[in-house]
Amino acid sequence: MAGVMDSVNQRTQLVGQNRLELLLFRLEGKQLYGINVFKVKEVLQCPKLTHLPRSSPIVRGIANIRGGTIPILDLALATGSKALENIDNAFVIITEYNTKIQGFLVHSVERIVNMNWEDIHPPPRGTGRDHYLTAVTRIDNQLVEIIDVEKILAEVAPVSENISAGVVNAEVQHKALSLKVLTVDDSSVARKQVTRCLQTVGVEVTALNDGRQALEFLRKLVEEGKKPEEEFLMMISDIEMPEMDGYTLTAEIRSDPRMQKLHIVLHTSLSGVFNQAMVKKVGADDFLAKFRPDDLAARVVDRINAADIS
């Protein structure tokens, strides 16, 4: 237990400081890519793969790793490039997203760098809507692209966005009509998933792209004399976002007496034992794993009932 707590303490040192660690890797060619180390369980030489009949062509096969069967996705193929060749010499980055484990096949792995989220920026305007980037940055004067993994996973293995019967009733939907929820997420796929779910509940949704944008939006509200907790039933925020992450956004809100009463749920694809420590440290009210429409809807329903709207 002491070892686990030491690990928690070490990793939560980044929390609220707007910092992250990126694992850098390459597909085919010289372009560098990055993935948040928090998502990475391990990196290994590509193991023997077994073809899975009728699977997506992006899934190059499945591998037995530490007693578990894990799908291995070709990240180059997933982002519109040609499939990686000579996979015997390739590497697999084992990751955990939305409580599910998968491996990403890459050509090579470079190193880990410690960065500030302020140095991570949204993709340049003009890149269109069909790209697979969620952010970009520069390291040693070289462009590093951060891939929208949630978009890839949604295309390879779509999840249901429907809310089960009984989670939301007519009375709640009636109350919801007068309420608004603020959502913050840099992934276009995640924003659409959350928005559709909340609209089914009945609330009006204001969707923003990153923590910096959200903080500026809330500060403008209070400068106009409005109270965020009265304008919005709650804020549902992603954690990994360019410019400002969800932890720092939460810490900034909690440090401002004018907006600190806003109810905050961190909606994250990060999994594991670190969430509780992180949520507690920055002062969020709760966290929720992506993407579980019933759980998300239930959180909103609980807030609606707590608000006692007639």
Side-chain angles (χ1 to χ4, degrees), residues 11-308:
R11 296 183 73 176
T12 55
Q13 293 305 308
L14 297 176
V15 175
Q17 298 179 16
N18 212 34
R19 300 195 67 83
L20 78 157
E21 290 180 323
L22 283 180
L23 173 65
L24 304 182
F25 62 90
R26 299 182 195 269
L27 301 177
E28 294 287 6
K30 296 181 179 180
Q31 178 61 52
L32 267 179
Y33 298 89
I35 186 172
N36 193 333
V37 170
F38 268 115
K39 302 287 184 69
V40 177
K41 297 178 72 68
E42 63 179 311
V43 178
L44 64 160
Q45 196 85 33
C46 183
K48 180 181 179 181
L49 302 182
T50 302
H51 178 67
L52 194 62
R54 302 178 67 180
S55 65
S56 165
I58 293 170
V59 179
R60 297 291 293 268
I62 55 175
N64 189 283
I65 299 173
R66 311 207 186 288
T69 302
I70 299 174
I72 307 299
L73 284 64
D74 188 325
L75 209 46
L77 196 56
T79 53
S81 299
K82 65 178 183 179
L84 286 175
E85 300 177 356
N86 192 19
I87 65 172
D88 290 341
N89 293 324
F91 290 83
V92 171
I93 302 173
I94 305 297
T95 66
E96 185 171 359
Y97 280 82
N98 306 342
T99 70
K100 294 182 180 179
I101 297 175
Q102 54 280 308
F104 292 115
L105 187 66
V106 302
H107 179 267
S108 60
V109 175
E110 299 287 315
R111 65 189 192 278
I112 291 174
V113 293
N114 190 303
M115 299 197 66
N116 194 306
W117 274 109
E118 291 180 352
D119 297 323
I120 312 292
H121 305 291
R125 292 183 179 180
T127 51
R129 295 184 177 182
D130 296 327
H131 63 76
Y132 287 86
L133 301 184
T134 188
V136 296
T137 189
R138 281 196 171 274
I139 298 174
D140 298 333
N141 292 320
Q142 186 171 359
L143 181 70
V144 176
E145 298 182 348
I146 301 174
I147 295 173
D148 189 347
V149 175
E150 291 178 60
K151 180 175 182 178
I152 291 172
L153 295 178
E155 292 176 353
V156 173
V159 296
S160 173
E161 297 180 2
N162 297 324
I163 300 172
S164 301
V167 176
V168 184
N169 58 38
E171 182 182 359
V172 166
Q173 287 181 317
H174 175 72
K175 292 179 179 179
L177 292 176
S178 62
L179 300 171
K180 294 190 290 185
V181 171
L182 177 64
T183 68
V184 191
D185 203 302
D186 63 314
S187 168
S188 61
V189 169
R191 284 198 304 274
K192 290 175 183 177
Q193 288 175 334
V194 172
T195 297
R196 283 193 284 261
C197 178
L198 298 185
Q199 288 175 339
T200 301
V201 175
V203 297
E204 181 181 338
V205 180
T206 298
L208 302 178
N209 296 355
D210 61 63
R212 179 76 64 195
Q213 187 182 42
L215 185 61
E216 291 173 354
F217 174 83
L218 290 170
R219 283 175 172 167
K220 184 177 180 181
L221 276 184
V222 297
E223 287 168 3
E224 294 172 351
K226 299 175 181 178
K227 297 180 179 180
E229 71 272 17
E230 295 178 358
E231 295 293 316
F232 293 99
L233 178 71
M234 61 200 300
M235 181 181 80
I236 301 170
S237 175
D238 186 24
I239 290 177
E240 293 182 282
M241 295 181 289
E243 307 286 355
M244 178 180 288
D245 68 13
Y247 296 133
T248 304
L249 171 61
T250 302
E252 290 282 350
I253 291 171
R254 290 294 184 246
S255 68
D256 190 330
R258 302 172 300 172
M259 60 177 89
Q260 62 185 192
K261 293 182 180 179
L262 180 63
H263 188 90
I264 300 172
V265 174
L266 293 177
H267 188 221
T268 172
S269 56
L270 292 168
S271 307
V273 299
F274 304 98
N275 276 327
Q276 290 289 0
M278 294 172 179
V279 167
K280 183 177 180 180
K281 179 171 181 176
V282 298
D285 294 285
D286 201 358
F287 79 92
L288 182 64
K290 291 181 179 178
F291 173 67
R292 301 173 178 177
D294 284 357
D295 291 348
L296 179 58
R299 291 296 202 285
V300 180
V301 169
D302 287 345
R303 286 294 298 157
I304 292 172
N305 290 332
D308 195 24

